[in-house]
């Protein structure tokens, strides 16, 4: 379902085969990008690559594609590469799911690709996810790690997500 003349944004259903095809595409991206980022020392925690294509999936194709991408990406990465580790997998899944929801909601409300909306998405999932991480870990210092060392990744999500969504806006 197209929701904007400026940018084609969709909300695909679970009964639509495109939901699963796009999910596979975005999960593949969320598998490949972390592998590239982990070639750099501390690349994962600094660049936060596991979230990038979840943002794109949910913003462009809706909550269902985003949710499937959010859940499958970390689980498959963990099973194949033991990254993320079992200890942080629940936190990654929570943050990924929050990202899918925030991204789909922003796209639905704004109905266009907006730099401000994407900033709101990234900050909202990070802030709420940090609160969950603090409750689960019981350690504020650990919970704010994405804000302590992940600023490059947050900026990549914001500006890179915007650029990629603008590039595929008419698809």
């Amino acid at each position: 379902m197209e929701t904007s003349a400026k940018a084609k944004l969709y909300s695909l259903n679970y009964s639509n085969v495109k939901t699963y095809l796009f999910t596979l595409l975005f999960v593949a991206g969320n598998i490949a990008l972390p592998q590239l980022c982990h070639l750099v020392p501390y690349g994962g925690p600094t660049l936060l690559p596991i979230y990038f294509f979840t943002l794109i999936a949910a913003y462009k194709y809706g909550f269902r594609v985003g949710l499937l991408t959010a859940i499958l990406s970390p689980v498959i990465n963990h099973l194949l590469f033991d990254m993320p580790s079992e200890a942080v997998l629940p936190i990654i899944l929570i943050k990924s799911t929050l990202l899918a929801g925030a991204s789909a909601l922003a796209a639905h409300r704004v109905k266009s690709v907006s730099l401000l909306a994407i900033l709101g998405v990234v900050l909202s999932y990070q802030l709420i996810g940090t609160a969950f991480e603090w409750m689960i870990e019981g350690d504020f210092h650990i919970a704010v790690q994405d804000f302590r060392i992940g600023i490059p990744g947050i900026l990549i999500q914001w500006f890179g997500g915007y650029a990629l969504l603008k590039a595929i806006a008419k698809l």
Side-chain angles (χ1 to χ4, degrees), residues 44-60:
T46 303
L47 302 175
L48 309 172
I50 194 75
Y51 303 114
F52 186 76
F53 287 105
T54 302
L55 168 74
I56 306 303
Y59 204 98
K60 178 72 177 175

Side-chain angles (χ1 to χ4, degrees), residues 50 69-78 83-84 89 92-93 96:
I50 194 75
T69 304
I71 294 169
L72 292 173
S73 297
V75 169
I76 292 171
N77 267 302
H78 172 73
M83 292 185 295
L89 189 57
I92 301 288
L93 287 167
S96 292

